[in-house]
Amino acid sequence: MDSTDDTHLLKADELGRIELTCRDGVRVIRRDIGAARWWARAFARRAAAREARALAKLAGVDGVPALLGWNGRELLRGYIAGAPMQQAQPRDRAYYRDALRLLALLHRRGIVHNDLAKEPNWLVREDGSPALVDFQIAWTRGRRGALFRLLAREDLRHLLKHKRTYCADALSARQRAILATPAPHARLWRATFKRLYKLVARRIFGYWDNEGQGRIRQ
């Protein structure tokens, strides 16, 4: 596929570059691992490979980018038009109903997203429906054991936290109970490693809480 000059940089940090570009006249998202810092390149390649595996297993799912290519250096995925959650601030009950269905479909395919606390990973498409992006730390093993169920529940709880932010009146009693009982590993994370994670994410990668955007590295 031949690229054009119609390329827009979305993010550039220690893990490489993410660009909106065109291939054969079609808009695609390109993740360039070759642009990663030398010390982060192995991690960036593993993360991209994980994303490629997840997208391959989710082929045909509406609301998930299509995997267009992965060659060990460049990952191409389909472009989904829409705005990130923190910009669109969805308050329609239908959005969260459809988001729950999308999440259930991921889990039926044996995929746990693992990064749904970040609002930018949720899109509000032009028709108001949800979409998910950024599967770099997704669970892709497919086995649905106890750990899978634990992580899947955290996927759900993070979605419900967003629903509480933008559409709290639509929360059911069961959903409020889920929000009130985080998994043990989530409580341990907040009590121990979360501060260290935030320090590393902010100082090294330039990430800030719900922004989910890496700094543009010169």
Side-chain angles (χ1 to χ4, degrees):
M1 292 188 296
D2 295 325
S3 62
T4 74
D5 293 331
D6 186 15
T7 297
H8 175 62
L9 178 64
L10 301 177
K11 183 167 74 171
D13 58 22
E14 281 70 12
L15 298 180
R17 294 167 60 89
I18 301 177
E19 302 168 339
L20 172 61
T21 187
C22 284
R23 297 292 172 96
D24 295 335
V26 177
R27 286 191 291 180
V28 302
I29 301 296
R30 175 179 181 263
R31 182 185 296 275
D32 180 13
I33 305 305
R37 298 288 194 189
W38 66 267
W39 51 266
R41 198 161 295 156
F43 174 79
R45 187 174 293 110
R46 286 195 297 271
R50 183 182 297 270
E51 181 165 26
R53 287 196 302 272
L55 296 182
K57 291 185 176 184
L58 295 170
V61 174
D62 183 39
V64 174
L67 176 64
L68 304 177
W70 165 241
N71 61 12
R73 175 189 172 98
E74 176 188 79
L75 186 145
L76 295 176
R77 62 173 172 83
Y79 169 72
I80 298 178
M85 178 180 277
Q86 78 275 14
Q87 293 180 11
Q89 299 186 3
R91 302 184 187 277
D92 188 344
R93 293 177 179 228
Y95 178 87
Y96 298 97
R97 182 183 64 241
D98 292 342
L100 285 168
R101 291 173 179 168
L102 176 57
L103 195 54
L105 186 51
L106 258 68
H107 295 164
R108 285 200 295 272
R109 296 264 183 124
I111 302 295
V112 176
H113 189 284
N114 276 331
D115 205 15
L116 294 185
K118 292 180 181 176
E119 293 186 11
N121 290 342
W122 288 98
L123 298 183
V124 181
R125 294 190 284 183
E126 294 173 338
D127 63 358
S129 62
L132 286 171
V133 296
D134 195 352
F135 287 78
Q136 291 186 92
I137 61 172
W139 170 289
T140 62
R141 301 177 189 175
R143 296 191 297 275
R144 297 167 59 87
L147 180 56
F148 175 92
R149 292 192 296 271
L150 186 70
L151 296 175
R153 185 182 184 278
E154 284 301 288
D155 266 2
L156 171 60
R157 198 172 66 84
H158 287 309
L159 170 58
L160 295 179
K161 288 172 70 175
H162 300 317
K163 185 177 180 180
R164 181 176 61 192
T165 298
Y166 297 113
C167 195
D169 291 345
L171 286 167
S172 68
R174 178 176 177 273
Q175 290 172 348
R176 292 183 184 278
I178 292 172
L179 283 169
T181 55
H185 79 279
R187 294 196 296 268
L188 177 63
W189 167 258
R190 288 202 301 267
T192 56
F193 299 109
K194 188 173 183 179
R195 289 185 179 178
L196 176 60
Y197 164 79
K198 284 187 173 182
L199 178 64
V200 172
R202 292 173 180 179
R203 294 291 179 86
I204 298 179
F205 296 110
Y207 300 151
W208 291 85
D209 295 334
N210 283 342
E211 292 179 9
Q213 299 290 332
R215 60 177 174 265
I216 300 299
R217 171 164 55 83
Q218 303 297 327

